[in-house]
Amino acid sequence: MHPSQLFHAPPASKFKYAEHFFKRAQAGLFHGRTIQFGNNVPESRYKTRRTWQPNVRSKRMKSEILNQVMRWNVTMHAMRTVKKYGSLDDYLLK
């Protein structure tokens, strides 16, 4: 038996939201926001590479179901969506 046949890779995740674009997104609510890449273009038009980071803040939010206050790393886009749905629990359930 060939050695590669002895070990099987674990099956891919069945959950759509289990995979994250970058490691930091595993630690909070990022609502699809990721690091973006592009160029700085001044008047002289010499392009230099740069990155744009998501606008992440540490927020305390209360879960009514768990009756607990939890600290989350949240993008402002996710915060607006939480406010739109009314509560953290409604956002997480939808």
Side-chain angles (χ1 to χ4, degrees):
M1 186 176 240
H2 193 269
S4 65
Q5 295 174 341
L6 295 175
F7 301 103
H8 297 289
S13 175
K14 295 179 184 177
F15 302 105
K16 180 181 174 187
Y17 299 105
E19 298 172 7
H20 298 285
F21 295 106
F22 60 110
K23 189 164 178 112
R24 194 168 136 204
Q26 296 172 0
L29 301 175
F30 278 60
H31 199 76
R33 296 295 189 203
T34 62
I35 299 172
Q36 293 182 335
F37 302 95
N39 293 319
N40 273 345
V41 184
E43 246 180 80
S44 62
R45 291 189 235 147
Y46 286 107
K47 296 176 182 157
T48 55
R49 296 298 285 173
R50 66 158 290 183
T51 60
W52 285 269
Q53 303 289 333
N55 185 10
V56 179
R57 299 288 179 254
S58 180
K59 295 286 184 183
R60 290 184 307 150
M61 291 187 274
K62 182 173 183 181
S63 170
E64 295 156 358
I65 294 173
L66 298 175
N67 199 20
Q68 264 185 325
V69 175
M70 295 175 280
R71 185 173 296 275
W72 293 84
N73 290 328
V74 184
T75 61
M76 291 298 104
H77 183 68
M79 275 300 297
R80 283 193 302 272
T81 310
V82 168
K83 285 183 183 178
K84 175 182 162 185
Y85 285 132
S87 71
L88 175 66
D89 298 322
D90 293 334
Y91 171 76
L92 294 174
L93 292 174
K94 289 188 182 185

